[in-house]
Amino acid sequence: MKKTVSIFLFLFSIIFCYADAGMWLPILLKQKEAEMQKMGFKLTAEDVYSVNNRSMKDAVVLFGRGCTGEIISKQGLILTNHHCGYSHLQRLSTMDNNILHDGFWAATKEDEIPCPGLSVTFLIYMEEVTNDILKGIENATNLQERDEIIERNIQIVGEKAIEGTDYSYVIKPFYYGNQYYMFINRVYADVRLVGTPPENIGKFGGDTDNWMWPRHTGDFALYRVYANKDGEPAFYAPDNIPLKTETFFPISIKGLDEGDFTMVFGYPGTTHQYLISDGIDLVVNHRNPPLIHQRGARLDIMKKHMDLSQEVRLMYSDKANSISNGWKKAIGENKGIKETKVLHRRGKEEAFLEFFASQGADNNNRFKLLNEIKALYETYRELETKAVTLRETFLAIELGRFIETVRPLLKEKHPWSTETKAKLLARANAFYPTYHKPIDKEVYVELLDYYFNVTKQEWIPASLQQYAGIDRESLQIMAKQLYDNSVFTNAEKFANFVENASKKEVESLHKWLNENTMFLDADLALIQLNKNSYTENTLPNIRRQIDAKYKDWVAFAAADTTGRFFPDANLTLRVAFGKMEGFSPYNGMVYLPYTTTSGILQKEDPDIFDYQVDERLKDIIIYKNFGPYADANGEMRVCFIASNHTTGGNSGSPILNANGELVGINFDRVWEGTMSDLYYNVNRCRNISLDIRYVLLIVDKFAGAGHLISEMEIRE
């Protein structure tokens, strides 16, 4: 039996390729301390995470709802990515004061700009609570009862932990529910913009360079967290003061050499490292293709119109940025999985398991479990393809979404009450100012043409079957009726209708709404697919069953190989470590590990928005006015790559050297390695970081904001 267990563990190790990968819980970092120190780390696990003493974790924050930031001064100064605050920069911008395009630097703290809705979260401590959360599940007779017991336990344990404090709690499963950890947090809701470079620095290269190497993007921004006079969390108030932060990251301008130790400390969002071949096939061949097509079509239309108007560019920058990121990542993910032959490898390895199953009862159980998971994917695959195609089509047409948000109010009986009118006008005022009809009208035709002519007809909901195979000309006629002839044509027409429509006009609208239910029918189809049912074939139900199988699938490996299998990312604080190093993406090609400002001038193209270079920055580069931020060769480095395992959510994470000093900011991954969410390959996967010295150059030499530099602790 010992021999067959060893064989299976070996099999598991090559399937999941854990070597050189990892997003480790800081509370468990002692297990990795010797390995880190062997690679060059000069500190201890206690320096990274401590409950009783100040440690690095006190200087790392969850920025907003899905990025990371780091504290870099005693006055609550936060460094994160430009793209992490992109939506806030857009909302703060107007055509007369275009912060997104022109940048912004607060001369004094009084000039710092509040960002409504933006918060930062500090971790107070984490602890394992598995036994408390799983208490009583042995009495459950099915998955629903089990989930209900766990939810009750989570609430009891969490509320007890924060009783009498201003803390909040999050309790999350790890290894598909084999373990549970509780995270006690403190959330600060007064966050203000301190400084951001103009878009031609903060997003240099734009969507063209996104996910690519070599990179020259100055992807950073500065914010500050405020508190009340007692240092406690508080919503914005003029008399709030900067939070006093005793723990912050010192900044090293010594830089890194190839092979130097690097560490990422942040909040990675989601990974799926333990998927069997069917799970990877689902992503690559069923979820990603419709997403790639529909988002690509939207982006082409948006960019065409954005290139024609600065006003439209401001309106749609955040929308296009959000769409593009997932679109290009999906393309790279598919490319990486294909080129590293992951599906072939997993298929072979799962075939080996069938052979090993005959060698012992334990392996036979694993093989049986594998086949049970595969059977569930047969159902899940079709449901997921239906759902993603509906989502990427009907939820992407802006006017359709607006109509569905106001449909219940519009169908109220005439005359409309003052309250109903106010709600309708409020929703219109939130929608139309960032809406450009010509874009959405083209998107309508493109997306529906794909959906009704490419999607398998049997996968189109019965309520939408009347449109299956519809020709493009008919879609254009439908678009003209909706966008040019309806009450939804523009803000003025809609507002006038709400305020002045007669009973006859309202009844006519009711009839029109009853006849035009395409978006409503799509919504209902999506709701059914995503119904939280424990008895029907819906996505949540099948997903629960798959996860329950995966719980057993990974349990023995996680238990028998302590410290070797890391839990999937789930937006909780993690540590990843590696080295600054280049790589060879293809045979005969080698990528160097860093870029310099000379690459900015090489890419410059005044006729392409993504590659326009600010005249002030151009002068700094040409005349090498780099000050103390140049490297040993007198060059100004911009970005570097390293073998740290990262994902979405790690955007803005501090990159630390062997001494725990800040040397960069994580902001991306190389395109060849975006499959790392599913399969990490140390020979191909690299995270992309902004060199901290380029940040300091922009703040100091470009912006002239020396007062911010003086806040920081700079080490040579």
Side-chain angles (χ1 to χ4, degrees):
M1 180 60 71
K2 183 176 181 181
K3 181 178 179 181
T4 57
V5 170
S6 298
I7 290 172
F8 195 75
L9 289 177
F10 168 74
L11 174 65
F12 224 81
S13 71
I14 60 174
I15 287 178
F16 295 122
C17 195
Y18 59 77
D20 301 306
M23 299 176 178
W24 308 97
L25 281 167
I27 194 174
L28 302 177
L29 205 58
K30 188 68 176 176
Q31 299 173 3
K32 310 298 293 182
E33 183 180 81
E35 182 182 345
M36 294 171 68
Q37 291 173 345
K38 185 177 180 180
M39 292 176 62
F41 189 51
K42 297 179 181 179
L43 302 176
T44 67
E46 181 75 8
D47 293 318
V48 178
Y49 176 89
S50 176
V51 175
N52 300 315
N53 301 298
R54 292 174 187 163
S55 59
M56 291 183 195
K57 66 96 174 166
D58 300 314
V60 181
V61 298
L62 177 63
F63 185 86
R65 296 181 180 179
C67 275
T68 303
E70 51 271 9
I71 305 296
I72 58 170
S73 85
K74 291 184 177 181
Q75 300 176 57
L77 190 62
I78 297 172
L79 180 64
T80 190
N81 287 156
H82 179 270
H83 76 259
C84 287
Y86 200 84
S87 61
H88 295 279
L89 298 179
Q90 184 189 39
R91 284 196 288 272
L92 293 172
S93 297
T94 64
M95 287 304 295
D96 295 328
N97 182 26
N98 197 336
I99 289 173
L100 188 66
H101 184 268
D102 301 327
F104 168 81
W105 305 96
T108 66
K109 291 184 177 63
E110 288 71 27
D111 297 323
E112 295 171 0
I113 305 176
C115 299
L118 180 59
S119 63
V120 295
T121 302
F122 289 83
L123 174 68
I124 305 302
Y125 68 89
M126 64 177 72
E127 68 172 307
E128 186 179 0
V129 290
T130 305
N131 291 338
D132 291 332
I133 301 305
L134 298 183
K135 185 178 181 180
I137 64 168
E138 65 276 5
N139 299 320
T141 59
N142 53 49
L143 279 177
Q144 182 171 358
E145 288 184 10
R146 183 183 186 279
D147 289 349
E148 289 171 352
I149 291 170
I150 288 173
E151 286 302 313
R152 285 197 299 270
N153 289 343
I154 285 175
Q155 184 175 2
I156 292 169
V157 172
E159 290 183 355
K160 182 179 179 181
I162 64 171
E163 186 177 359
T165 73
D166 61 1
Y167 298 158
S168 61
Y169 73 87
V170 174
I171 297 177
K172 291 191 175 183
F174 292 76
Y175 300 108
Y176 291 92
N178 281 290
Q179 292 181 332
Y180 283 82
Y181 280 84
M182 177 169 64
F183 301 83
I184 302 300
N185 302 312
R186 205 177 199 195
V187 181
Y188 288 80
D190 187 355
V191 181
R192 307 182 192 183
L193 176 64
V194 175
T196 179
E199 194 169 16
N200 57 19
I201 292 176
K203 200 184 174 186
F204 181 77
D207 293 333
T208 309
D209 278 7
N210 191 23
W211 298 104
M212 307 301 287
W213 184 258
R215 201 68 170 275
H216 301 85
T217 309
D219 195 348
F220 80 95
L222 293 164
Y223 295 80
R224 195 183 305 276
V225 56
Y226 280 74
N228 66 19
K229 58 183 177 60
D230 297 317
E232 298 168 340
F235 288 104
Y236 169 79
D239 57 349
N240 283 351
I241 60 175
L243 179 66
K244 294 179 181 178
T245 45
E246 293 301 320
T247 304
F248 61 93
F249 287 113
I251 295 171
S252 170
I253 59 173
K254 184 179 180 181
L256 297 170
D257 292 322
E258 188 164 10
D260 282 352
F261 175 88
T262 58
M263 185 175 85
V264 179
F265 206 175
Y267 285 85
T270 304
T271 59
H272 299 283
Q273 293 291 315
Y274 299 112
L275 295 182
I276 65 170
S277 61
D278 297 69
I280 296 175
D281 172 72
L282 171 74
V283 175
V284 173
N285 294 317
H286 300 275
R287 181 183 298 160
N288 282 350
L291 181 152
I292 289 168
H293 183 278
Q294 297 296 66
R295 292 195 180 192
R298 292 166 69 192
L299 282 170
D300 287 344
I301 294 167
M302 286 182 179
K303 288 178 180 178
K304 179 179 68 176
H305 288 271
M306 290 167 68
D307 286 343
L308 297 174
S309 166
Q310 186 64 30
E311 184 176 4
V312 174
R313 179 172 294 279
L314 179 59
M315 291 166 61
Y316 273 77
S317 287
D318 186 46
K319 295 176 185 178
N321 188 54
S322 177
I323 295 166
S324 174
N325 199 53
W327 166 76
K328 196 166 184 179
K329 190 253 187 181
I331 297 173
E333 187 171 62
N334 281 15
K335 180 181 175 69
I337 292 295
K338 178 181 178 181
E339 292 177 353
T340 53
K341 311 300 180 188
V342 175
L343 282 172
H344 178 80
R345 292 168 186 257
R346 292 278 166 99
K348 287 288 187 182
E349 290 150 2
E350 289 164 9
F352 292 157
L353 178 54
E354 184 175 5
F355 169 75
F356 289 135
S358 64
Q359 305 301 303
D362 183 67
N363 289 331
N364 186 59
N365 290 337
R366 305 304 172 190
F367 180 59
K368 180 181 177 182
L369 181 60
L370 177 66
N371 286 329
E372 289 172 350
I373 300 174
K374 286 179 175 292
L376 287 167
Y377 271 119
E378 286 296 320
T379 303
Y380 191 79
R381 187 180 297 118
E382 179 177 330
L383 295 174
E384 177 64 15
T385 307
K386 288 179 179 178
V388 71
T389 312
L390 280 166
R391 274 198 312 270
E392 295 296 331
T393 301
F394 293 95
L395 299 188
I397 298 171
E398 295 178 86
L399 192 57
R401 299 305 315 135
F402 175 69
I403 290 172
E404 291 316 307
T405 63
V406 297
R407 180 188 290 269
L409 295 170
L410 290 172
K411 295 199 75 173
E412 288 185 8
K413 194 173 181 180
H414 186 275
W416 290 326
S417 67
T418 301
E419 182 182 4
T420 294
K421 289 183 178 181
K423 287 180 179 178
L424 285 167
L425 293 175
R427 293 179 187 182
N429 290 336
F431 172 72
Y432 282 104
T434 58
Y435 172 70
H436 189 58
K437 183 176 75 174
I439 289 178
D440 200 41
K441 187 177 180 181
E442 287 188 50
V443 166
Y444 175 96
V445 175
E446 288 296 327
L447 299 195
L448 293 181
D449 185 32
Y450 175 88
Y451 182 80
F452 289 118
N453 290 287
V454 176
T455 304
K456 289 183 180 180
Q457 185 168 345
E458 63 267 28
W459 286 6
I460 297 174
S463 57
L464 296 173
Q465 281 288 338
Q466 61 180 307
Y467 302 107
I470 189 171
D471 61 87
R472 193 176 185 86
E473 184 178 355
S474 297
L475 286 172
Q476 290 170 336
I477 293 171
M478 291 166 61
K480 183 174 180 61
Q481 174 62 30
L482 175 61
Y483 288 89
D484 299 336
N485 301 329
S486 74
V487 299
F488 306 103
T489 298
N490 55 50
E492 293 73 24
K493 190 171 183 178
F494 183 77
N496 182 63
F497 183 86
V498 170
E499 294 284 11
N500 303 307
S502 66
K503 181 179 181 180
K504 184 176 180 180
E505 288 172 323
V506 171
E507 289 174 347
S508 178
L509 177 65
H510 287 174
K511 181 181 178 182
W512 186 90
L513 289 170
N514 289 334
E515 293 172 348
N516 291 270
T517 60
M518 181 190 293
F519 293 97
L520 177 61
D521 292 337
D523 274 356
L524 294 174
L526 267 171
I527 289 170
Q528 178 57 38
L529 285 168
N530 289 283
K531 185 178 179 181
N532 191 22
S533 168
Y534 281 83
T535 58
E536 301 176 65
N537 271 356
T538 64
L539 282 166
N541 185 27
I542 305 301
R543 189 184 301 122
R544 272 189 292 263
Q545 294 179 55
I546 291 174
D547 287 351
K549 300 295 183 182
Y550 272 124
K551 179 178 181 290
D552 295 334
W553 179 244
V554 304
F556 80 102
D560 294 343
T561 56
T562 303
R564 302 175 74 187
F565 284 90
F566 57 93
D568 276 324
N570 57 3
L571 204 64
T572 55
L573 191 61
R574 306 292 182 91
V575 172
F577 56 90
K579 296 179 180 180
M580 175 186 171
E581 52 185 330
F583 72 109
S584 175
Y586 304 105
N587 183 252
M589 179 186 292
V590 176
Y591 282 153
L592 298 177
Y594 65 88
T595 61
T596 68
T597 49
S598 62
I600 295 175
L601 299 187
Q602 289 170 1
K603 288 181 176 179
E604 181 187 16
D605 188 335
D607 296 325
I608 300 177
F609 181 83
D610 288 344
Y611 294 113
Q612 295 172 358
V613 179
D614 191 287
E615 286 297 316
R616 288 173 294 163
L617 179 60
K618 189 187 298 186
D619 286 342
I620 290 172
I621 297 171
I622 291 174
Y623 297 106
K624 294 196 172 186
N625 183 23
F626 303 144
Y629 311 121
D631 67 14
N633 297 318
E635 298 296 327
M636 186 68 238
R637 298 192 187 185
V638 181
C639 299
F640 62 89
I641 52 177
S643 53
N644 301 299
H645 192 178
T646 62
T647 188
N650 275 126
S651 290
S653 293
I655 307 297
L656 307 169
N657 64 14
N659 298 312
E661 299 162 332
L662 187 66
V663 292
I665 320 167
N666 181 80
F667 71 91
D668 209 349
R669 286 171 283 167
V670 298
W671 203 38
E672 296 84 357
T674 51
M675 82 292 188
S676 62
D677 287 350
L678 306 175
Y679 176 81
Y680 184 87
N681 184 323
V682 73
N683 296 317
R684 186 182 178 99
C685 298
R686 295 289 182 272
N687 67 304
I688 306 176
S689 301
L690 180 63
D691 195 303
I692 196 64
R693 293 170 293 184
Y694 188 64
V695 174
L696 298 177
L697 176 82
I698 298 301
V699 174
D700 189 356
K701 302 293 184 178
F702 177 84
H707 60 288
L708 296 176
I709 301 292
S710 66
E711 271 193 54
M712 309 170 195
E713 182 181 322
I714 311 294
R715 297 179 181 176
E716 298 183 2

